[in-house]
Amino acid sequence: MSFRSSPGLPASSPHSVNDYVEDVSPGSGALPPRARYASSDATSLSLNGSWRFRLSATADAEDDSFAAPGFDAADWAELSVPGHWVLQGDGSFGSPIYTNHLYPFPVDPPRVPTENPTGDHLRVFDLPDDWPSDGGAVLRFDGVESCARVWLNGTELGEFKGSRLPHEFAAGHLLKPSGNVLAVRVHQWSAGSYLEDQDQWWLPGIFRDVTLLHRPAGCVLDFFVHASYDHRSGEGTLRVDSDVDARVAVPALGIDVATGEPTTVAVEPWTAETPRLYHGELVTEGERVPLRIGFRTVVLEDGLIKVNGRPVLFKGVNRHEWHPEKGRALDPETMREDVLLMKRHNVNAVRTSHYPPHPAFLDLCDEYGLWVIDECDLETHGFVEQAWRDNPVDDDRWTPALLDRAARMVERDKNHPSVVVWSLGNEAGTGRGLTAMAEWIHGRDSSRLVHYEGDIDCRDTEMYSRMYAYHGEVERIGRGLDGGTLKRRELPFILCEYGHAMGNGPGGIADYQRLFESHDRLQGGFIWEWIDHGIKDERYGFAYGGDFGEELHDGNFVCDGLLFPDRRPSPGLIEYKKVVEPVRIEEWGPEGTVRVRNAYDFADLSALTFEWSYQLDGETVESGTLPVPPLAPGEWADVKLPEPPETGTGETQWTVRALLASGTAWGPKGHEVAWGQFPVTARPAVRVAQSAGPVPGDGRFTLGPATFDARTGALTSVGAVDVTGLRLDVWRAPTDNDDGAAWQSDTRNGLLWRKLGLHRMRHRLDGVERSGDALTVRTRVAPAARELGFATVYRWTSDGDRLRLTVSVAPEGDWTVPLPRLGIRFGLAGSADRVRWFGGGPGEGYPDTKAASLLGRWESTVDGLQTPYVRPQENGARADVRWAEIGGLRIEGEPEFWFSARRWTSEQLDAARHLTDLVAGDTVWVNLDHGQHGIGSQSCGPGPLPQYFLRAEPTEFSFVFSEIG
């Protein structure tokens, strides 16, 4: 049998025992790459399951005798394949290593350390009874990290590198009915490791499927489905090129033609919004292969990326493959869960950072509808430490390996309509090898565009791509004021990474989205990234870099996703869903109308139904259906709302929701796609008429329902509710985005806050004054060793039933940094648990992360208010709160406030490194914040925009306390 030739694949050649490990070539013995298809009528045998396994400390520690038939491996361990050996064996097989870009071994390409963990894998298998006796067979490995050598029944088949890429070997001549011995030696480090320095865990092993495929005489070899769409005529043109003579049938379109013969018919096009697939079949003399064909055309036209004649706006995510127990060994259910979560959160695009994914994931993208930037398994980021000296992508010796990787990606994935862009790789500097890759891809597949963020002048690519550009720069690019080469200025722009979702955040993504929607050249971006890469660990809950004793690591930088490791959506994903929602319910007009705009690129609104509701003080008093026309993409309409119902006095508002009118493949009927809220009447002021003043007695004052310490003026109770430690609070446990990244030259506020001592503020009592109607406590709040501070006055008044606190804050000294927070903190008994509030919810929100904060009445437990970021940090604040009830206490704010409550202090939260470090105490600590500093995404991007800064300036705010009867 033969396959088409491919660049960079040298013929098999003899070698010494282990010199292939440090050879810059891609390997030897493997068949040229070809199209991947999920099934056919040819017989196949999965070799996944339990394998025998032996781990050696070096590549030369053991001989090759284990590969011979009859070798006794009874005393070897058992290992699951697919899998990573460092995630199995209870730590006896070594440990994971996490680095962002630093190589965890000396940089001396292509050499690797003598200490090179090497895993010998053995699988003995029988052929099934129905295995055909004629034809050949192919042994396929879908993913092995980082270098493998393969034997079947004692005969060496070859060796290969390219961890996230498929490799096939001719095996039919070596098979026997029973007792087949498959032996695979896997090395953790190889020359290929220099090309795989992605920001992720280093996890050796056979982590994707191993399959034996029968190849009957006259079988399908390689084929290329060309299915274009003409948006002017509404017709699609299908041509399937095949290495062997075959016919193509698509019954729904009445197509039955020979391969190589084009045919044009009327079709429904494929898009990420309307993923129409036609089921067909490729039939050769010896095999029938099912096809799923999507007609679509991708072009660069008018300086824009267009699909089927329309510009697209990418609302995307970067997706590493991850499972908290299995690493990159993903099962089909997990991949499907990812796609469903994306669709349900309005994500329309995926960049496969930074390697081709498991092929089944692309099948799901075809089926459910996601635009895909398919990225090659290439990153050499660690060479930045030596100013890119010796970078493999600019060294001709490595070019065959680069071309091999490009070919294995393109050939495997070329028949997926979801793949609209090929990416050369990530953070590999610049060089001749990248140009060679781009030239080969352009020559092989002209139906897609090519991306590479490092190609700053767009010499080899069709789009200008950047990471983490600041909002102001993105706006200049959108306006065409960014300079650069003439070619670059005429190309579309995408942010291939932005909105770094590490810990609490990302902030500012709504501001990015407004820019994307304001300038045609800005065609969206991809949040970094989809999921936290925490490893499930009984010690820590989820482990991150350094938790396995790595000498060199990048800590929790590996936990920077929109999903927690167990795939629970983070507040960041809820925010992103709102920010990129495909229907804009924008404004309520004085005529009683709401403007609805279709922000889809292709779909009309016929699949949606709209509902209105009317709230009084956060509670719905009436609701109904809102008739909205099936607007075409880009169209808008002002839709008349009903007459507002008669209500009592209070704050009123409209809420309008867009819901799925019926169930789809990815969401049930009634799934919420978008929403908007619009105030009708404002919130009435909280009035507390002053009455009798404080009354002294027995070392205390009483004022209305409250009791105070007579000496310090400290509040001790409101009615029967004990209160402790009420005072001004300016500290929050810094978020990852507060702390910023070590390489950043911009102000990193978390470090400055700590340097100033805002985490250890001192509270000096300057006086307690009892006037006729008020109790006034004067203090100075300041950090040790600094002259900065706040003159703070607490003024307490009461109408007999309720207690008002007015806090006046005057900064002293030269405050050049914003504050983390500004408000009060106090403690309640640990039995306080249930929380009710009228304000933003149901989840957390901060100044630049509260687009998804829906105004209403909400309930939770104290524990339920916490957001379980893998590294503990400030979390759980509810925004725009009018009132909250907790522990028998009701609190109303003037103006609205941020509310949070937790069973540990901010200082304890700050000291924790894992969730298991947080131990509930006997006190529930409540924060009522007049202001919070913004979040931003400075863990690997810009900090908060200036409008979200909490500046130190004279401030006054009030809270009203009452006991709940």
Side-chain angles (χ1 to χ4, degrees), residues 79-151:
L79 191 80
S80 292
V81 172
H84 305 279
W85 70 67
V86 294
L87 296 181
Q88 302 183 59
D90 297 324
S92 59
F93 300 148
S95 301
I97 300 170
Y98 167 61
T99 59
N100 168 30
H101 76 279
L102 297 174
Y103 289 104
F105 49 79
V107 179
D108 182 23
R111 304 298 303 278
V112 295
T114 300
E115 298 81 8
N116 187 1
T118 296
D120 290 334
H121 300 68
L122 271 179
R123 177 82 152 85
V124 178
F125 65 93
D126 300 333
L127 295 179
D129 293 340
D130 61 350
W131 190 268
S133 59
D134 62 334
V138 164
L139 180 64
R140 183 174 66 210
F141 295 87
D142 279 316
V144 182
E145 182 176 331
S146 73
C147 174
R149 188 176 173 192
V150 184
W151 297 262

Side-chain angles (χ1 to χ4, degrees), residues 886-908:
I886 179 173
L889 199 63
R890 179 182 174 94
I891 306 127
E892 301 169 84
E894 283 192 334
E896 290 77 29
F897 59 99
W898 272 271
F899 172 87
S900 57
R902 53 179 67 101
R903 299 187 184 278
W904 35 79
T905 65
S906 295
E907 292 76 15
Q908 291 168 328

Side-chain angles (χ1 to χ4, degrees), residues 814-857:
D814 185 15
W815 284 91
T816 59
V817 298
L819 300 176
R821 68 175 353 126
L822 181 65
I824 61 170
R825 179 176 78 178
F826 59 88
L828 298 175
S831 59
D833 184 51
R834 298 300 305 179
V835 183
R836 298 178 63 246
W837 74 97
F838 172 29
E844 71 182 27
Y846 291 82
D848 56 346
T849 67
K850 62 174 187 171
S853 189
L854 182 70
L855 187 62
R857 292 202 189 191

Side-chain angles (χ1 to χ4, degrees), residues 611-622:
E611 294 181 356
W612 63 267
S613 59
Y614 192 80
Q615 287 84 37
L616 171 65
D617 289 337
E619 289 193 306
T620 296
V621 294
E622 200 167 319

Side-chain angles (χ1 to χ4, degrees), residues 17-23 25-28 59 85 112 116-121 143-150 158-164 167 184-193 196 203-207 405:
V17 176
N18 286 320
D19 63 357
Y20 64 91
V21 175
E22 295 180 338
D23 191 333
S25 76
S28 64
W85 70 67
V112 295
N116 187 1
T118 296
D120 290 334
H121 300 68
V144 182
E145 182 176 331
S146 73
C147 174
R149 188 176 173 192
V150 184
E159 86 285 332
F160 61 90
K161 307 177 190 77
S163 297
R164 270 68 72 173
H167 295 81
V184 185
R185 172 163 286 172
V186 180
H187 306 283
Q188 176 157 19
W189 310 122
S190 70
S193 301
E196 296 172 4
L203 298 172
I206 305 172
F207 67 95
R405 288 170 184 250

Side-chain angles (χ1 to χ4, degrees), residues 444-463:
R444 177 63 175 140
D445 179 20
S446 61
S447 69
R448 296 174 173 94
L449 308 182
V450 173
H451 164 272
Y452 178 63
E453 181 266 343
D455 185 11
I456 197 69
D457 293 326
C458 304
R459 180 182 62 180
D460 301 319
T461 55
E462 282 90 29
M463 62 200 70

